[in-house]
Amino acid sequence: MAVRDRVAGLLLGIASGDRNRGPMRMAWRLGRSLVEQRKYDGDDIWRRYWEWMTVPFGKDSAFDTGNTIEMVVSICRRDGVSPKEAAMRVFKATNGAGVNPAHRSTPLACAAFLSDKEVAAAAADECVYTHGTFLTLLFVCCLYISLSLC
């Protein structure tokens, strides 16, 4: 199967399985960053998530993205901490894992210019912007290592 077909299949799969469109819209921002930067740049990706989450209601405002990222953004605003610190606080307060990173980070597996090692490192880094859990981190790394081997 051609790489282009695999990429299309991954993106179609995430779009059809994403009922609230929040993770898909986050995947779009991650993908745009990868295309424009031609590398994984966590700061650029968080900036894009932040701008989207903090835009007033409009055509492309964030809605129904899930409680986790909303809590992370709220803590970042209120306490001035990094998103990773805020995500750890959310995890400790809620003891919740979550799979949004598995949904939204599909573009990482599609970025042919990243090595397998870079994909795994990027997936690990990106997921803790909103889900500070070892279980989520482990799941995302395993998922994207397996996808990159296809």
Side-chain angles (χ1 to χ4, degrees):
M1 179 183 298
V3 171
R4 185 179 187 150
D5 293 336
R6 291 192 337 232
V7 169
L10 283 170
L11 297 176
L12 181 59
I14 188 177
S16 61
D18 184 8
R19 290 184 296 167
N20 64 9
R21 297 194 329 251
M24 185 63 195
R25 288 177 177 215
M26 292 179 81
W28 173 255
R29 280 154 183 79
L30 172 58
R32 293 289 304 175
S33 177
L34 290 168
V35 167
E36 291 172 13
Q37 303 292 325
R38 297 297 297 167
K39 65 178 183 175
Y40 174 79
D41 181 345
D43 292 335
D44 181 66
I45 292 162
W46 176 253
R47 180 189 56 77
R48 291 167 192 263
Y49 293 165
W50 177 266
E51 288 173 356
W52 176 61
M53 289 295 298
T54 58
V55 164
F57 286 102
K59 182 178 123 186
D60 193 37
S61 63
F63 67 94
D64 201 16
T65 57
N67 294 333
T68 304
I69 192 163
E70 290 173 6
M71 289 187 285
V72 167
V73 168
S74 177
I75 291 170
C76 288
R77 275 184 165 164
R78 184 188 69 216
D79 299 345
V81 299
S82 73
K84 293 177 182 181
E85 170 63 26
M88 286 304 298
R89 290 183 187 184
V90 169
F91 173 68
K92 288 177 183 174
T94 64
N95 201 24
V99 296
N100 182 316
H103 293 261
R104 72 175 186 248
S105 57
T106 303
L108 289 170
C110 301
F113 53 86
L114 295 176
S115 70
D116 292 347
K117 194 174 194 178
E118 289 171 319
V119 168
D125 184 72
E126 197 280 338
C127 88
V128 295
Y129 277 109
T130 58
H131 290 72
T133 72
F134 176 75
L135 190 59
T136 301
L137 172 62
L138 181 62
F139 174 75
V140 169
C141 285
C142 290
L143 176 65
Y144 289 100
I145 289 170
S146 67
L147 286 173
S148 68
L149 297 175
C150 293

